[in-house]
Amino acid sequence: LAAEHPDPSSVQLKCLQKTFRQILDGNGADLFNEDDWITFSQGMNSTWTQQTSHAESFAQLDKLSELSFASDVAEGLVWIDFSSIPQMVDVQGANTFELLQHEIDQALAVQTIPFYLERSNYFWVLTPDATHETRKKRCGFASWRGRGWCRLEEWANFLSRRCLMPLVVTDAPKISTYSMLAFMLDNLNKPERAPCMGEFSCCSANHTFCVGSMPR
């Protein structure tokens, strides 16, 4: 939500904290509509047809209860992409060697994303309505879906060996979610939705940015 910080006013952080508190209070199911909770917690839904139930069953392999959901939130660790991957904004004033090393570290960290996904139990998408403090544009789930890196993580999740149903947290009173099959069908024959066709920060800077006085 800013050029140098993902959440400078803690809009997203406060939204996630509120959600986690409700789950810790044992009200996890209340954050979903009835069908979504059954689908998410049990990995199946009575509305699925026999033809699609096999494919859809891979959407959520782990069976959950409100108690186990709360326990996972209480004891779990949160991996946040922006803070877990070296960012170029962190090396303002660096010399050439430090800059090159930082770029190498960043590239190596990006390559670890699939491994974190494989080891994750939940895939949270945190997209409350907010204003980007640098670009002055409204941001939400639609803008998240438009970003190249976010698309990459979404695809990586669904293509992983144990794909997870995304938990989309917005300003709406309920968490929304969707399955692998729904995602695949929605993106079928839509190459414009590919990660490489998404928006990247470098696009708005005409693919040039400076670290100190050095253009990159």
Side-chain angles (χ1 to χ4, degrees), residues 7-119:
D7 190 21
S9 299
S10 300
V11 175
Q12 296 172 327
L13 175 62
K14 291 175 182 177
C15 182
L16 185 61
Q17 288 175 327
K18 179 181 177 181
T19 301
F20 279 178
R21 289 191 188 102
Q22 288 182 263
I23 296 170
L24 291 172
D25 289 340
N27 300 318
D30 294 338
L31 290 170
F32 299 78
N33 65 46
E34 185 175 357
D35 284 341
D36 275 352
W37 171 252
I38 294 173
T39 303
F40 169 67
S41 63
Q42 301 304 311
M44 61 179 59
N45 193 300
S46 60
T47 63
W48 292 346
T49 65
Q50 184 176 359
Q51 289 77 14
T52 61
S53 60
H54 177 70
E56 292 279 27
S57 66
F58 289 102
Q60 186 70 22
L61 297 178
D62 299 330
K63 304 300 185 285
L64 301 168
S65 65
E66 284 189 288
L67 182 61
S68 64
F69 193 25
S71 177
D72 287 344
V73 170
E75 300 175 7
L77 300 175
V78 180
W79 186 87
I80 303 175
D81 50 7
F82 188 95
S83 61
S84 300
I85 293 177
Q87 302 293 322
M88 300 311 296
V89 296
D90 297 331
V91 288
Q92 297 292 335
N95 60 42
T96 302
F97 175 79
E98 292 171 335
L99 178 59
L100 291 175
Q101 184 60 53
H102 200 77
E103 289 179 330
I104 293 172
D105 292 342
Q106 184 185 59
L108 291 172
V110 167
Q111 293 178 32
T112 69
I113 291 176
F115 298 94
Y116 280 100
L117 283 169
E118 292 283 357
R119 290 159 176 78

Side-chain angles (χ1 to χ4, degrees), residues 113 130 181 199 216:
I113 291 176
L181 185 59
E199 179 184 353
R216 305 298 295 172

Side-chain angles (χ1 to χ4, degrees), residues 55-56 58-59 158-159 163 165-166 178-185:
E56 292 279 27
F58 289 102
F158 280 118
L159 294 175
C163 66
M165 292 185 68
Y178 48 95
S179 69
M180 175 180 65
L181 185 59
F183 175 76
M184 295 296 185
L185 292 175

